[in-house]
């Protein structure tokens, strides 16, 4: 501070014609003494004040640089804030001091702990350390840092605290044993310590005693550069420590200034109580005051004040690592620039009431505070200095690494920085190649409560544990997660399903009665085979149309029946293949009309048999006139037209449509035809069933009629097969899902068609092809004597 003020006083561009003075007070690390010193300074009641002849006015202290401690700064700023006296601290980092309502005149050139916590969180986030322990000191410095960690670690870094322990103020062996035991048992390999060097010394004694190794330490700025911990017995445990350090700066000319400092031999300083005199006595092992009796004889000497300080090996002259000193330097210059801005105020354009300016002889501290809030300058080292609305400087920290060299020496090297810019927010820069890791692998450790959940799983919180402790639960069917540590599994779109790994969606398998699967091939083959048999039988009948067995019982209806059976076999093909709109609409209509045509022919043939039998009785000739060829054709046409009308009404009112059904199987799309109107489908089937039952009853009544040309027995047998098949079809169709419903219907069509074809035409083809001697009128009439 003395150097900065001397440099400012020699600078003709800054505060020209104004000489700055200062007073130094030692707070003795006591809050009471610190407050007393501050009040003494601002009240102008110093015990000894020397005024130069040209000084005009009172001897006020307009601002104070300090205090170094957060706790003492809180106490001092609480009092000074009442009078709006600026207090610019170079080392107090407690985030609570950013509260402008409680501390309206507090400023600082060191970043707040709130940013230091964020800087540490950025380091944890950079290395993926989500499971950390936190140890704090039992004061405002530690308590407020812990509060920030608890509130910011999760949202900003996605991490959790495994434990939070408070170091005792004094050396408490039992409490320290408990804390180190917690650290040793915890799975967290990273430990963040917000404490002072004195607290860390006590902690490390217990760490060394219990031999707790394998930990990665994160140091707060209070002990990052502390040399008292860099000892051979402690470095095996603290080697590789990453720490937050105050921004290092360079102050040109400081070393020369220090070399020219000499003790004051006059002005009542000969008692050796001044700080410089004490330093001089300690460095050169001499005394300014007359020594006690016997002291000189013991080898002591009197100080002359002319000793050469440059030849001494002392940290006093080491200006290579200026950190708190650099903040003091910036604090003094901030006050000087604020004072300079105030003195450049033009009368009538001032910021105070009635546009007045402040005057140097009547200057009030609150007036200087107004300009201090707006100060903005750049140091010779290139750092910008300004204060935000909370009195905090633009935050920037160095990241330090404790290197344990093979020869046993220790080096604290800079490996990066963390800063906050107005445009990019918080930025971290790390040179990982320079970092020394105190592990056998020479790689950063892994510190997580639970390992990351791979794609295909989701995170499930463990009850009663932090959010970083979780189980990885596989996604359920139909849901996927394609990122690591996914909180939820997302459902696949309707036409997609989850892959076996549950990490992406794949198109669902489609299911329908296909021509390419074995069941479809079998049904298709059977349908075509039945159609071919119908064609062959029809060809046989056409070729032998003049034979008695073909002409018996209305050959025209037999030909029509064969054609309808061929259509029955072919309509089953409409049920195979992927459902389309036209196949859904045609399949049931074609099936219904074909079977009604078939059953109508059988019904008319049966009615003709009964009519012929009745005509053979006396007085029954008139019954034949109702069953001539025209009437037979008309009856078949009317019965078939009625089924066609039913199908038309059904298709117009509620047409069957293709439907993608996902209810049967979650991972499959079942293509099917919904009937549209269940009533229409039921009427269609009911009408076929009605005709079939009627045919069966009539054939049953005519089964014992004479003459072997009578087909009643064959019709009865065929209709029993037909009715049995379709009676079994209804419950099987209702209970069969998807393509199996279509397969059941096709099977029913093929079975009933094959039954009718075999029962009605099998015996006739057998006689035509293999027993031609029975294909005579006499044999058919039952008059063949050679039976």
């Amino acid at each position: 501070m003395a150097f900065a003020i001397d440099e400012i006083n020699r600078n003709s561009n800054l505060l020209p014609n104004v000489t700055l003075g200062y007073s130094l007070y030692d707070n003795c690390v006591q809050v009471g003494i610190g407050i007393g010193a501050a009040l003494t300074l601002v009240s102008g009641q110093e015990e000894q004040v020397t005024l130069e002849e040209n000084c005009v006015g009172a001897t006020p202290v307009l601002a104070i640089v300090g205090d170094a401690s957060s706790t003492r700064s809180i106490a001092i700023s609480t009092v000074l804030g009442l009078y709006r006296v600026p207090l610019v601290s170079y080392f107090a980092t407690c985030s609570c001091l950013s509260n402008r309502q409680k501390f309206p005149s507090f400023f600082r050139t060191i970043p707040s702990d709130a940013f230091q916590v964020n800087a540490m969180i950025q380091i944890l986030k950079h290395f993926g350390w989500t499971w950390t322990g936190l140890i704090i000191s039992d004061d405002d410095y530690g308590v407020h840092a812990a509060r920030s960690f608890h509130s910011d670690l999760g949202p900003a870094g996605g991490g959790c605290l495994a434990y939070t322990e408070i170091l005792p103020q004094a050396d408490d062996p039992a409490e320290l044993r408990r804390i180190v035991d917690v650290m040793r048992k915890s799975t967290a390999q990273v430990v963040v310590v917000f404490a002072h060097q004195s607290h860390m010394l006590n902690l490390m004694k217990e760490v060394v005693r219990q031999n707790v190794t394998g930990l990665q330490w994160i140091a707060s700025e209070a002990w990052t550069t502390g040399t008292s911990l860099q000892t051979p017995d402690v470095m095996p445990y603290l080697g590789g420590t990453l720490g937050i350090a105050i921004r290092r700066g360079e102050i040109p000319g400081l070393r020369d200034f220090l070399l020219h400092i000499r003790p004051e031999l006059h002005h009542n300083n000969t008692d050796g109580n001044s700080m410089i005199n004490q330093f001089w006595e300690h460095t050169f092992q001499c005394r300014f005051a007359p020594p006690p009796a016997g002291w000189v004889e013991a080898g002591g000497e009197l100080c002359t004040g002319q000793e050469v300080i440059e030849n001494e090996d002392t940290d006093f002259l080491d200006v290579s690592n200026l950190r708190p000193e650099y903040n003091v330097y910036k604090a003094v210059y901030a006050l000087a620039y604020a004072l300079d801005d105030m003195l450049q105020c033009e009368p009538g354009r001032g910021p105070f009431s009635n546009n007045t300016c402040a005057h140097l002889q009547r200057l009030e501290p609150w007036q200087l505070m107004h300009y201090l809030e707006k100060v903005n300058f750049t140091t010779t080292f290139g750092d910008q200095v300004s204060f935000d609305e909370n009195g905090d400087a633009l935050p920037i920290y160095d990241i330090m690494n404790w290197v344990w060299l093979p020869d046993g020496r220790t080096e604290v090297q800079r490996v990066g920085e963390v800063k906050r810019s107005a445009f990019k927010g918080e930025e971290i820069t790390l040179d990982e190649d320079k970092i020394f890791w105190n592990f056998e692998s020479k790689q950063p450790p892994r510190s997580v409560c639970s390992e990351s959940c791979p794609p295909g799983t989701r995170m499930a919180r463990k009850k009663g544990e932090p959010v970083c402790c979780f189980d990885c639960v596989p996604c359920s069917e139909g849901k996927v997660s394609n990122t690591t540590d996914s909180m939820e599994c997302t459902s696949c779109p309707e036409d997609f399903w989850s892959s076996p790994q549950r990490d992406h969606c794949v198109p669902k398998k489609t299911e329908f009665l296909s021509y390419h699967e074995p069941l479809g091939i079998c049904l298709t083959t059977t349908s075509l085979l039945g159609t071919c048999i119908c064609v062959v039988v029809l060809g046989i009948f056409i070729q032998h149309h003049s034979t008695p067995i073909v002409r018996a019982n209305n050959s025209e209806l037999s030909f029509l029946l064969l054609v309808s059976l061929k259509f029955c076999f072919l309509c089953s093909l409409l049920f195979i293949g992927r459902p389309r709109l036209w196949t859904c609409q045609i399949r049931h209509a074609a099936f219904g009309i074909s079977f009604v045509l078939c059953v109508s022919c059988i019904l008319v043939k049966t009615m003709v048999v009964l009519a012929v039998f009745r005509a053979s009785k006396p007085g029954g000739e008139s019954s034949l006139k109702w069953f001539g060829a025209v009437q037979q054709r008309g009856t078949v046409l009317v019965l078939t037209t009625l089924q066609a009308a039913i199908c038309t009404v059904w298709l117009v009112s509620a047409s069957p449509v293709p439907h993608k059904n996902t209810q049967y199987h979650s991972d499959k799309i079942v293509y099917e035809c919904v009937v549209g109107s269940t009533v229409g489908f039921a009427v269609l089937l009911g009408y076929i069933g009605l005709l079939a039952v009627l045919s069966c009853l009539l054939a049953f009544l005519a089964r014992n009629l004479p003459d072997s040309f009578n087909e009643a027995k064959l019709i009865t047998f065929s209709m029993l097969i037909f009715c049995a098949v379709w009676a079994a079809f209804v419950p099987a169709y209702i209970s069969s899902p998807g393509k199996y419903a279509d397969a059941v219907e096709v099977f029913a069509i093929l079975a009933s068609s094959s039954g009718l074809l075999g029962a009605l035409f099998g015996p006739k083809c057998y006689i035509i092809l293999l027993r031609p001697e029975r294909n005579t009128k006499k044999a058919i009439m039952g008059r063949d004597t050679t039976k």
Side-chain angles (χ1 to χ4, degrees):
M1 186 177 103
F3 168 75
I5 289 179
D6 180 71
E7 190 176 63
I8 292 168
N9 287 336
R10 289 186 285 106
N11 188 345
S12 59
N13 296 322
L14 183 62
L15 291 176
N17 302 321
V18 174
T19 302
L20 296 179
Y22 61 91
S23 294
L24 298 177
Y25 269 74
D26 190 349
N27 58 32
C28 301
V29 201
Q30 298 291 326
V31 175
I33 295 177
I35 293 177
L39 291 176
T40 299
L41 287 169
V42 298
S43 63
Q45 302 299 318
E46 295 98 332
E47 295 177 359
Q48 298 178 6
V49 177
T50 302
L51 295 178
E52 294 185 8
E53 295 180 357
N54 58 347
C55 282
V56 179
T59 59
V61 171
L62 297 177
I64 296 177
V65 176
D67 189 293
S69 161
S70 293
T71 299
R72 292 189 294 274
S73 292
I74 291 171
I76 296 171
S77 188
T78 301
V79 177
L80 296 187
L82 299 174
Y83 305 99
R84 298 298 190 270
V85 177
L87 178 71
V88 186
S89 176
Y90 57 91
F91 215 63
T93 59
C94 180
S95 57
C96 59
L97 288 163
S98 297
N99 189 332
R100 221 55 184 150
Q101 293 182 341
K102 292 184 178 180
F103 312 105
S105 62
F106 179 80
F107 299 83
R108 54 183 157 194
T109 52
I110 187 172
S112 160
D113 279 339
F115 179 73
Q116 185 177 184
V117 168
N118 284 333
M120 289 185 171
I121 291 174
Q122 292 298 319
I123 295 175
L124 297 177
K125 185 178 180 181
H126 179 84
F127 291 106
W129 296 330
T130 59
W131 189 234
T132 59
L134 177 63
I135 297 177
I136 62 171
S137 56
D138 189 13
D139 53 18
D140 292 303
Y141 177 69
V143 171
H144 284 85
R147 191 175 299 166
S148 297
F149 249 107
H150 280 277
S151 61
D152 298 344
L153 181 58
C160 306
L161 292 175
Y163 55 84
T164 302
E165 297 294 336
I166 302 176
L167 294 173
Q169 287 282 6
D171 188 7
D172 186 345
E175 179 65 9
L176 289 172
R177 276 197 303 272
R178 186 195 66 80
I179 293 173
V180 175
D181 193 53
V182 170
M183 296 167 55
R184 181 170 51 83
K185 293 179 179 178
S186 175
T187 57
Q189 287 190 269
V190 178
V191 183
V192 178
V193 182
F194 255 90
H196 303 283
Q197 287 191 58
S198 58
H199 299 135
M200 275 297 295
L201 284 170
N202 295 331
L203 175 66
M204 291 312 299
K205 290 178 184 177
E206 186 61 28
V207 169
V208 173
R209 193 187 70 80
Q210 294 194 28
N211 193 27
V212 181
T213 58
L215 295 178
Q216 175 64 47
W217 298 82
I218 306 294
S220 67
E221 45 78 26
W223 65 278
T224 293
T225 56
T227 56
S228 59
L229 291 166
Q230 299 169 17
T231 58
D233 58 327
V234 176
M235 279 305 293
Y237 303 89
L238 286 182
T241 295
L242 289 173
I244 300 295
I246 301 169
R247 172 74 161 173
R248 187 193 71 84
E250 293 183 3
I251 305 177
L254 176 60
R255 193 172 190 276
D256 293 337
F257 177 81
L258 296 175
L259 289 174
H260 287 86
I261 288 180
R262 289 288 182 271
E264 297 187 23
L265 303 179
H266 307 289
H267 300 296
N268 299 323
N269 282 324
T270 54
D271 58 357
N273 288 329
S274 74
M275 288 183 287
I276 295 176
N277 287 8
Q278 291 179 37
F279 163 72
W280 208 266
E281 290 176 340
H282 173 76
T283 302
F284 294 102
Q285 294 296 301
C286 61
R287 292 182 63 84
F288 285 100
W295 192 80
V296 175
E297 289 76 11
E301 297 180 357
L302 288 175
C303 298
T304 64
Q306 301 302 316
E307 290 82 2
V308 181
I309 188 68
E310 191 173 2
N311 296 333
E312 298 298 319
D313 183 14
T314 173
D315 291 338
F316 179 69
L317 297 177
D318 183 9
V319 294
S320 63
N321 197 30
L322 302 177
R323 296 184 186 277
E325 300 85 351
Y326 185 50
N327 283 345
V328 174
Y329 183 76
K330 291 191 289 187
V332 174
Y333 262 91
L335 291 169
Y337 273 102
L339 189 60
D340 186 64
D341 290 342
M342 184 195 71
L343 295 180
Q344 293 181 17
C345 176
E346 298 182 12
R349 297 184 179 181
F352 307 116
S353 60
N354 298 323
N355 297 325
T356 57
C357 296
H359 295 281
L360 186 61
Q361 287 75 18
R362 300 186 301 276
L363 178 62
E364 297 292 337
W366 61 267
Q367 294 174 320
L368 179 62
M369 192 185 84
H370 171 82
Y371 287 95
L372 186 60
E373 290 174 341
K374 295 176 172 51
V375 75
N376 192 336
F377 66 96
T378 302
T379 67
T380 54
F381 189 56
D383 288 336
Q384 183 182 358
V385 180
S386 63
F387 302 103
D388 62 14
E389 65 276 6
N390 297 320
D392 292 325
L394 191 66
I396 183 170
Y397 274 118
D398 288 336
I399 301 176
M400 311 301 292
N401 178 227
W402 289 23
V403 182
W404 190 22
L405 301 174
D407 58 2
R409 291 184 299 108
T410 302
E411 178 183 338
V412 180
Q413 63 177 359
R414 181 179 179 275
V415 294
E417 69 176 18
V418 185
K419 64 181 179 180
R420 178 184 295 159
S421 63
F423 304 103
K424 298 182 180 179
E426 293 174 7
E427 296 180 85
I428 181 172
T429 304
L430 270 173
D431 187 357
E432 294 190 39
D433 294 335
K434 292 176 62 177
I435 298 177
F436 168 75
W437 301 106
N438 194 28
F439 302 94
E440 290 184 6
S441 63
K442 302 303 178 184
Q443 297 293 324
R446 183 161 179 79
S447 185
V448 295
C449 182
S450 298
E451 291 296 332
S452 296
C453 290
T457 63
R458 64 175 178 84
M459 299 165 60
R461 287 275 309 274
K462 291 184 178 180
K463 189 175 181 181
E465 297 191 28
V467 295
C468 297
C469 302
F470 49 83
D471 292 319
C472 296
V473 179
C475 294
S476 56
E477 290 186 343
K479 293 186 176 182
V480 297
S481 66
N482 55 10
T483 58
T484 302
D485 288 337
S486 177
M487 295 298 297
E488 295 292 339
C489 297
T490 56
S491 298
C492 290
E494 183 180 2
D495 292 347
F496 289 81
W497 193 247
S498 54
S499 64
Q501 296 78 23
R502 305 287 196 272
D503 57 353
H504 67 282
C505 293
V506 296
K508 286 183 178 180
K509 296 179 181 178
T510 57
E511 183 179 272
F512 52 88
L513 189 57
S514 171
Y515 288 106
H516 305 290
E517 60 179 305
L519 180 58
I521 293 172
C522 291
L523 295 176
T524 303
T525 303
T526 305
S527 173
L528 295 176
L529 182 60
T531 304
C532 292
I533 293 174
C534 288
V535 173
V536 171
V537 173
L538 183 59
I540 293 172
F541 269 51
I542 292 174
Q543 186 177 359
H544 300 86
H545 68 279
S546 59
T547 61
I549 200 167
V550 176
R551 296 178 59 188
N553 201 359
N554 200 330
S555 60
E556 185 178 344
L557 287 179
S558 297
F559 289 123
L560 188 58
L561 180 58
L562 282 170
V563 172
S564 65
L565 283 174
K566 185 175 70 171
F567 288 147
C568 289
F569 279 110
L570 288 175
C571 76
S572 62
L573 297 178
L574 294 172
F575 292 85
I576 304 174
R578 182 167 177 172
R580 309 288 182 183
L581 179 60
W582 67 273
T583 58
C584 288
Q585 292 176 337
I586 293 176
R587 59 168 57 172
H588 287 108
F591 148 71
I593 294 172
S594 298
F595 268 89
V596 165
L597 179 60
C598 178
V599 176
S600 298
C601 292
I602 295 173
L603 178 60
V604 171
K605 287 172 70 73
T606 307
M607 293 172 66
V608 170
V609 170
L610 289 175
V612 170
F613 174 69
R614 179 170 294 185
S616 64
K617 293 183 179 182
E621 297 84 357
S622 61
S623 59
L624 283 176
K625 66 178 182 180
W626 299 102
F627 291 95
V630 176
Q631 287 80 3
Q632 292 175 27
R633 298 190 198 101
T635 302
V636 171
L637 180 60
V638 169
L639 293 176
T640 306
T641 303
L642 184 58
Q643 179 72 311
I646 293 173
C647 293
T648 302
V649 173
W650 178 22
L651 293 177
V652 171
S653 60
S655 173
V657 291
H659 173 62
K660 294 190 295 185
N661 195 320
T662 57
Q663 302 302 315
Y664 300 136
H665 306 283
S666 299
D667 59 339
K668 293 181 182 178
I669 298 176
V670 178
Y671 287 96
E672 61 182 6
C673 288
V674 291
V675 296
S677 172
T678 306
V679 174
F681 188 49
V683 171
L684 181 143
L685 289 178
Y687 183 62
I688 297 173
L690 176 63
L691 296 181
V693 170
L694 184 59
S695 298
C696 187
L697 289 177
L698 292 178
F700 181 77
L701 294 176
R703 71 188 185 283
N704 293 322
L705 296 180
D707 297 332
S708 56
F709 72 87
N710 176 25
E711 293 183 293
K713 290 181 180 180
L714 298 179
I715 292 173
T716 303
F717 182 66
S718 65
M719 295 314 297
L720 285 175
I721 296 175
F722 186 88
C723 292
V725 169
W726 287 100
F729 158 76
V730 174
Y733 180 82
I734 293 174
S735 61
S736 299
K739 69 176 183 179
Y740 298 104
D742 291 337
V744 166
E745 191 165 357
V746 173
F747 180 79
I749 293 172
L750 296 177
S752 57
S753 300
S754 300
L756 293 176
L757 180 63
L760 293 176
F761 295 96
K764 295 181 179 181
C765 289
Y766 171 76
I767 293 173
I768 293 172
L769 299 177
L770 301 178
R771 302 294 298 273
E773 70 276 4
R774 295 179 58 183
N775 191 6
T776 63
K777 185 175 181 181
K778 187 182 293 186
I780 292 174
M781 297 299 292
R783 295 170 184 164
D784 191 359
T785 55
T786 60
K787 192 173 181 179

